[in-house]
Amino acid sequence: MSGFRRFADRAAHPGTDETPHRGDAAEGRDDRADLGWPDEPDREVGWFDVARASWARRRALRAEARRFTARTRRRRAYWLGSLGAVALLIVGTLAAAYSPLFAVREITVAGADRVDEAAVAAALEDQIGTPMPLVDHSAVQAAMLDFPLVETYRIESRPPHELVVRLVERTPVGVVASAAGYTVVDAAGVALSTTEELPEGQPLIDVTGGTSSDAFAAAGQVLRSLPAGLRGDVAEVTATTPNDVAMTLAESGAEVVWGDAEDSALKALVLERVMADRPTSDASVYDVSSPNAAVVR
């Protein structure tokens, strides 16, 4: 056997230098047959046979690798397909939302009582034709400044074409007298309207420091805490400090000493109870500045 044949046998049976037995040689031939080597034991092994066996082994390894990684590749393809579908859906939705398909064509005003709904809708007409995500909130805010009766508002988009403006109107608590006449104000001192005559159903607020003072803030909080029936019977509210709020009732002229604005809800409840027990025909002063120890005289 030539030197090259011995080298090929050592490559086929690594780790031994001994000449294989006859049975071992047969088994070696079977292994070589599996690797694509020639089956003839006495034929010389050439470089082409070695290359072909190496190629067959690499092909078998690649097949095994593909078999074990097929599941991973399928899972990767599934996730890539899902992400692509989601991305396509998002892009399509955004493109449709910012297109004329979802432009504002109708403005609806909700929650208006004393505010003119048509006037509010007309003030926002410049938003007609604008895609809903591109509605100019700064322009809407500027337009709402022309309606002092509006305390807060909220904009809602109702696809495909409706823009809803929900209003919360200011609640008037009384009237402040000035050189211009009688101005209806809310608890924050915001002027709602001005007339030459004293409006009916609104108490006159006479406080030290005007509508920007702490005394007015206390008086406004007290008026807002009164039940509707009791508030309608108040003719005048006075205060020089936040701690000495007092009221005069319209029909009887009885005085209600309130004190500060703390515990106003409890004071209102106590006042209703003591007035039920001692009506204005039997009392002229109701002192609820200490609600747990009301005084009637």
Side-chain angles (χ1 to χ4, degrees):
M1 182 182 295
S2 65
F4 183 78
R5 181 63 178 273
R6 288 195 300 272
F7 170 77
D9 287 340
R10 291 192 187 99
H13 302 278
T16 179
D17 291 336
E18 298 181 358
T19 302
H21 296 289
R22 186 175 186 86
D24 296 337
E27 183 179 353
R29 285 196 303 271
D30 292 339
D31 293 341
R32 288 194 298 272
D34 292 339
L35 296 175
W37 287 23
D39 196 22
E40 298 84 355
D42 296 332
R43 195 176 71 83
E44 291 289 336
V45 177
W47 288 105
F48 176 77
D49 297 321
V50 174
R52 186 172 63 175
S54 177
W55 177 82
R57 182 174 181 81
R58 288 197 300 271
R59 184 176 64 178
L61 290 176
R62 285 196 299 269
E64 287 296 308
R66 284 194 299 270
R67 185 170 65 87
F68 282 109
T69 59
R71 183 177 180 181
T72 301
R73 286 186 281 107
R74 286 195 300 268
R75 185 182 303 169
R76 185 184 300 114
Y78 169 78
W79 282 108
L80 289 176
S82 300
L83 291 176
V86 171
L88 183 61
L89 178 62
I90 294 175
V91 171
T93 301
L94 291 176
Y98 284 88
S99 70
L101 293 176
F102 290 92
V104 177
R105 297 182 185 175
E106 180 183 359
I107 297 177
T108 302
V109 180
D113 184 17
R114 298 183 303 274
V115 178
D116 188 351
E117 297 182 5
V120 174
L124 301 178
E125 281 185 350
D126 56 345
Q127 301 303 316
I128 298 294
T130 304
M132 289 190 174
L134 299 180
V135 170
D136 191 345
H137 292 268
S138 298
V140 174
Q141 182 179 4
M144 297 306 295
L145 293 177
D146 294 334
F147 303 92
L149 286 175
V150 176
E151 183 174 5
T152 61
Y153 68 90
R154 185 175 72 252
I155 297 177
E156 298 177 2
S157 298
R158 188 176 296 172
H161 305 298
E162 185 179 7
L163 186 69
V164 180
V165 182
R166 297 192 179 277
L167 307 179
V168 176
E169 297 181 343
R170 296 184 182 275
T171 303
V173 295
V175 178
V176 176
S178 65
Y182 297 94
T183 302
V184 179
V185 295
D186 69 349
V190 177
L192 306 181
S193 62
T194 301
T195 59
E196 295 181 357
E197 301 292 335
L198 180 63
E200 295 183 0
Q202 296 294 340
L204 180 65
I205 303 175
D206 184 11
V207 297
T208 301
T211 57
S212 60
S213 64
D214 293 337
F216 178 87
Q221 184 176 346
V222 170
L223 287 169
R224 291 197 66 172
S225 67
L226 294 177
L230 185 57
R231 186 190 308 147
D233 193 32
V234 176
E236 185 178 5
V237 180
T238 60
T240 58
T241 69
N243 301 317
D244 64 351
V245 179
M247 294 177 288
T248 302
L249 302 183
E251 294 184 1
S252 62
E255 182 182 3
V256 178
V257 179
W258 198 271
D260 57 29
E262 294 184 4
D263 299 323
S264 289
L266 177 59
K267 291 177 181 179
L269 181 61
V270 170
L271 180 59
E272 284 187 312
R273 289 179 178 177
V274 297
M275 288 184 67
D277 294 337
R278 295 281 301 276
T280 55
S281 59
D282 296 335
S284 59
V285 177
Y286 299 91
D287 189 345
V288 292
S289 57
S290 296
N292 295 322
V295 176
V296 181
R297 58 181 184 271

